Amino acid sequence: MAASNHTIETEEQISEILGNPDNNTVEKISDRLDDLAQDFIRSSTLVFVSTVDKDGKLDVSPKGDGPG
């Protein structure tokens, strides 16, 4: 597969491609991990940790090993 030269730089560009998330998805957005999320992560073998800086730049890092 050929590499793409397209860059998505705004939330609006993503919405043009994917549409808007439904309410169930929006309700899952949080600035902290609740007990349910923490339990889910504890039992997972792979988690993707995402952070955003003050300028809105994202970083995603996979973390994996045995559960816990």
Side-chain angles (χ1 to χ4, degrees):
M1 177 179 263
S4 173
N5 293 328
H6 301 285
T7 301
I8 296 174
E9 297 179 345
T10 67
E11 194 171 316
E12 289 77 21
Q13 290 172 311
I14 293 172
S15 293
E16 287 176 15
I17 296 168
L18 300 177
N20 292 313
D22 62 25
N23 286 339
N24 289 331
T25 300
V26 172
E27 289 174 6
K28 294 178 186 178
I29 297 171
S30 175
D31 63 353
R32 58 190 40 96
L33 299 173
D34 62 15
D35 291 338
L36 183 61
Q38 291 179 43
D39 289 343
F40 178 78
I41 291 168
R42 280 188 201 98
S43 66
S44 299
T45 58
L46 178 64
V47 172
F48 292 86
V49 177
S50 174
T51 57
V52 61
D53 69 14
K54 64 182 175 65
D55 298 319
K57 294 181 182 172
L58 298 172
D59 181 65
V60 179
S61 176
K63 306 293 182 190
D65 207 340

